[in-house]
Amino acid sequence: MRVLNESLQEEKAPAPLEVSEVTKVYPGGVQALDGVSFRIAPGERACLLGPNGAGKTTLIRLLTGALRPSSGRVRLFGYGVEDADFLGAKRRVGIVPQSAGMYRDLSVDEYLQLVCELYGGGDLAEVVEAFGLKPYRERKMAELSGGMQRRLSMAAALVSSPEVLLLDEPTVGLDPVATRDVHGFLRKAMAGRTVLLCTHNLAEAEALCESAVILRQGRVLLHERIDTLRRRIQPVLMLRAVQGPERLAEVLAARGCESVREEDAVRVHVEDPEAQAPELLRGLLAEGIDVFECRLVMPSLEELFLDVVGAAHALA
Amino acid sequence: MLSREVRILFGKEWRQLLRSRSAMLTALLLPVLMLVVVPGLQMVAASAGNPAAGANIPRGVMLPPGLEAMRDDPKAMLRALLPVFIALGGLIVPAVTASYTLISERESRTLELLVALPVRVGQILLAKLLALLALAGVVTLMLFSIDAGLILALELGSVGYVLALLAVLLSALTFSTASALLVSLLARDFRTSNNLNGMLIGPTIIACFALIIALPSPTLAALVIAALFTAGAGASIFVAMKVISFERLLR
C-alpha cells in the first residue's frame, strides 16, 4: 500500500522540466519554436540535439525564464516563469550557460558567494575543492583559462546541490584536454540528478545521457531513450575477407544480401545478428571466401541522429 | 519593499561601480563641472557685479517672457540658466555610467551568467538601475547642496527657487536612469549607446532652454521641466518594458 501511495505521489508530482505546446516567435516574425512539447522525468538524463537553428538555445532560455513563450507553457517543477514561486523552482536547478563571459572585476570567491546568496545557501568550500578552484579563489574571473572558466560555471551550478542540471553546450570551444576534464566532472555531477544537456557533440551526448530530445526547425522530432532509438536502425556486420571486398561483395550479392563497400571491408545490414551471422559465415566459407573478420557494429548516436534528422538538415 | 534578489544584486552592482575607475571618473568629474565649477563661478561673478545695473538692452527690443527680467536685474540671466545646468548635471551621470554597468555586461556576455542564477531579468535590470541612481544621487545631491548654499548665501534666489531646482535635479536623475534602460535595450555596444545618449540629451537640453525662455519665471520653468522629466521617465519605462521588452538584452 505504501509503495502504491509513493508511486501515485510520484506520478502526481510535477516533472522537473516540462514544455507544453510552446511556440516562440521573436519580434520581426522569426519563429524559433513551433508547438514544442516534452517532459523530462525525475532522474532522467536527456540530451537536447538538433542542427543549427533548430531552436535549442531558445528552448534553454525559455527554461531558465530569460525568455517567455509566445504561447504554451514552460514549467520547472510545475511553475511557469509568470508564477510567483518560479524563483523557488529555479533554485532547485543548476544552470551552466553556453560560453558565458567572465567578470573582470569580480574574483572567483566573490562570484561564488553571490551565487550562494542567490540560491539561499550552498557549500562553497566543497565545490571549490571538488572543481580544483582553491588556488584561484582570489583571481579575477576573466583571468582564468577557458577550462577553468567552465569549471567555475559548473561549480556555480552545483554549489547549492540542485536536483536538476541544465547544461548548455558545456564543452563548446574547449580543447580536447579541457573537454575530457569537463566530462569527468559532469559524470560525477550528473549521477542521481535530472539533467538536460544541450550539445552539438553527439559522442558527448551518447556518453553522458540515456535519452535524447531531437529538435528540427523548431519542432520536436522525437524524445526517446537512446537504446530504443538504436533499435530503429538495423545493426551492421562488418566483414573482411582475404579475397578482398569486391569478391566478398559479389558473393554476398549472389546470396541475396545487400551490402555496402567501405575501403577494405563490406558492411551488411542484418535484422538479427545472432541468428543470421553464423549462417552467413558458414555460407561464405563454403563458397571459398576466407573471412578473417566479422564484427557487429551498433549504430552510433551520430548515425541515429542523421537517420532521424536527415543528413541534409543536420548539415544545415 | 525590494525583493531579496534585487538587494543581493544591488550589492554586486554597487561594488562593481565603485571599482570601475572610468565609471567613478565620469560620475565625479562631469557633475563637478556642471554643478559646481561653471554655475559656482557664475554665481560668484554675478554677485560681485553692480546689483543696480541691468543688462544693456536697447529700448524697443522685445524679449521673450523668460528673459524680460534681465532688463532690470543682472542676476536674472543666471537664475534662468541654473535649471539648465542642474538638469545637465542630473542627466549626464546616469546616462554615461549606465554604459559601464549595462552595456559592458551585455558586450562581455556576463549577463548570461546572471540569467542562469535564480533571478528574473527584470530584477537584474532593477538592481543595476538602482545602483546607477544611488551613485548619481549621492554625487549630485552633495554637489547640489553647494549650489543651494551659494544661491541662498549670495541672495541669488529664494528657498522656493532652490526647491524647484532640487525637483529638476531629482527628476532629471530619474529620467536619465529610465532612458539609460531604454538605451541599454537598444544599443549593443558603447558606441551606439553614446550616440543614442547624445541624440537624447542634446534635444532635451535645447528643450529646457526653450522652456526657460518661453515661461515668465525661472521657478515656474524649473517646475515644468521637472514635470516633463518625470513624465519622460514614465514613458521611457513603459516603452522599455512593453514595446521593446527585456528579451532584447539577450538577443
Side-chain angles (χ1 to χ4, degrees):
Chain A
M1 190 65 182
R2 195 180 153 199
V3 174
L4 183 67
N5 281 343
E6 277 175 5
S7 70
L8 279 173
Q9 271 181 347
E10 223 166 74
E11 269 182 29
K12 275 184 188 170
L17 304 173
E18 192 173 5
V19 179
S20 319
E21 288 299 318
V22 165
T23 298
K24 179 65 188 173
V25 182
Y26 286 111
V30 178
Q31 179 154 13
L33 295 174
D34 181 11
V36 168
S37 296
F38 65 85
R39 183 180 186 273
I40 305 296
E44 183 177 345
R45 283 173 295 164
C47 55
L48 184 61
L49 304 173
N52 292 334
K56 300 188 298 293
T57 302
T58 300
L59 196 50
I60 293 286
R61 284 183 168 169
L62 286 165
L63 284 164
T64 62
L67 299 181
R68 290 184 182 226
S70 306
S71 67
R73 267 179 75 91
V74 177
R75 295 186 193 92
L76 298 182
F77 293 101
Y79 295 106
V81 69
E82 67 285 350
D83 294 327
D85 289 330
F86 176 73
L87 287 186
K90 204 175 169 188
R91 272 185 219 110
R92 296 165 70 185
V93 182
I95 301 164
V96 177
Q98 188 191 139
S99 49
M102 294 279 138
Y103 289 108
R104 285 159 205 232
D105 49 3
L106 284 185
S107 69
V108 167
D109 230 20
E110 285 172 326
Y111 173 64
L112 287 175
Q113 269 164 8
L114 172 78
V115 176
C116 275
E117 282 179 55
L118 287 169
Y119 272 99
D123 195 337
L124 203 150
E126 192 188 332
V127 289
V128 163
E129 189 70 44
F131 285 94
L133 292 166
K134 211 170 178 180
Y136 307 97
R137 287 181 79 154
E138 300 306 318
R139 201 172 282 187
K140 297 283 181 256
M141 291 167 73
E143 290 169 7
L144 297 175
S145 66
M148 291 309 291
Q149 289 182 0
R150 219 52 66 86
R151 282 197 203 185
L152 176 59
S153 289
M154 287 191 290
L158 288 161
V159 72
S160 67
S161 300
E163 296 154 63
V164 176
L165 269 182
L166 212 52
L167 308 161
D168 191 3
E169 305 270 9
T171 55
V172 75
L174 293 182
D175 63 46
V177 177
T179 301
R180 197 178 59 180
D181 189 38
V182 169
H183 281 170
F185 285 116
L186 284 179
R187 270 196 198 91
K188 283 183 206 162
M190 286 166 74
R193 289 193 162 94
T194 307
V195 179
L196 183 63
L197 166 70
C198 176
T199 183
H200 263 105
N201 184 339
L202 296 172
E204 178 176 277
E206 196 163 20
L208 298 171
C209 299
E210 65 212 10
S211 63
V213 178
I214 300 184
L215 281 180
R216 195 185 78 188
Q217 292 173 344
R219 290 173 185 227
V220 173
L221 289 186
L222 62 83
H223 176 197
E224 266 182 42
R225 286 184 64 82
I226 295 173
D227 288 350
T228 317
L229 207 53
R230 273 210 180 93
R231 277 183 230 125
R232 284 180 167 216
I233 297 186
Q234 282 183 349
V236 167
L237 281 180
M238 185 75 84
L239 297 168
R240 281 192 176 85
V242 173
Q243 285 77 10
E246 287 90 0
R247 176 74 187 127
L248 182 57
E250 271 174 35
V251 176
L252 284 167
R255 292 179 64 85
C257 294
E258 207 176 303
S259 63
V260 179
R261 264 198 64 185
E262 196 176 84
E263 294 181 1
D264 61 340
V266 173
R267 292 162 71 102
V268 185
H269 285 276
V270 284
E271 277 176 28
D272 184 355
E274 273 185 42
Q276 288 174 271
E279 175 67 30
L280 184 68
L281 282 175
R282 273 195 293 272
L284 288 171
L285 290 169
E287 290 190 43
I289 302 296
D290 303 318
V291 178
F292 64 87
E293 186 183 340
C294 175
R295 189 160 46 91
L296 181 67
V297 181
M298 295 305 286
S300 66
L301 186 57
E302 187 173 347
E303 285 164 310
L304 298 171
F305 177 76
L306 292 174
D307 184 61
V308 172
V309 174
H313 287 290
L315 294 170
Chain B
M1 191 177 156
L2 290 175
S3 68
R4 193 180 134 270
E5 287 80 14
V6 174
R7 290 199 303 272
I8 294 169
L9 290 170
F10 175 84
K12 164 199 167 280
E13 296 304 332
W14 184 253
R15 203 180 315 157
Q16 285 181 293
L17 260 182
L18 296 186
R19 282 179 189 173
S20 166
R21 276 184 215 154
S22 320
M24 289 307 289
L25 207 64
T26 310
L28 290 171
L29 199 65
L30 288 173
V32 165
L33 272 173
M34 294 297 164
L35 292 172
V36 178
V37 177
V38 178
L41 285 174
Q42 286 189 333
M43 280 190 260
V44 172
S47 63
N50 180 4
N56 189 17
I57 298 165
R59 294 212 173 269
V61 171
M62 294 286 284
L63 287 175
L67 301 180
E68 193 60 46
M70 279 174 56
R71 287 189 196 279
D72 309 314
D73 183 3
K75 293 173 186 170
M77 184 66 182
L78 181 62
R79 272 196 292 276
L81 284 177
L82 271 176
V84 181
F85 284 117
I86 300 292
L88 199 53
L91 286 174
I92 279 184
V93 188
V96 182
T97 323
S99 303
Y100 298 101
T101 63
L102 286 158
I103 306 292
S104 70
E105 190 105 54
R106 194 174 180 182
E107 255 192 349
S108 60
R109 288 177 58 88
T110 45
L111 201 59
E112 305 280 344
L113 281 181
L114 292 183
V115 169
L117 299 175
V119 291
R120 293 177 189 272
V121 180
Q123 291 174 324
I124 298 171
L125 286 173
L126 181 61
K128 286 182 180 297
L129 295 177
L130 287 176
L132 282 183
L133 197 58
L135 179 70
V138 167
V139 171
T140 54
L141 284 173
M142 275 166 51
L143 299 176
F144 177 76
S145 65
I146 299 172
D147 288 335
L150 279 173
I151 292 167
L152 296 173
L154 301 174
E155 295 179 352
L156 292 166
S158 64
V159 174
Y161 175 69
V162 170
L163 288 175
L165 290 182
L166 180 63
V168 169
L169 178 65
L170 294 176
S171 59
L173 287 172
T174 313
F175 172 67
S176 182
T177 307
S179 59
L181 170 68
L182 201 60
V183 168
S184 67
L185 293 178
L186 293 169
R188 284 176 186 271
D189 50 59
F190 283 107
R191 206 170 124 186
T192 316
S193 157
N194 289 338
N195 289 344
L196 287 174
N197 278 328
M199 283 167 65
L200 200 71
I201 292 175
T204 305
I205 292 301
I206 292 169
C208 287
F209 271 118
L211 281 167
I212 293 281
I213 291 168
L215 294 170
S217 129
T219 305
L220 175 66
L223 289 173
V224 171
I225 289 169
L228 289 174
F229 277 149
T230 308
S236 298
I237 289 170
F238 177 81
V239 172
M241 289 176 71
K242 301 289 177 191
V243 181
I244 300 173
S245 94
F246 297 158
E247 289 189 358
R248 200 181 160 98
L249 269 182
L250 295 161
R251 291 189 71 198

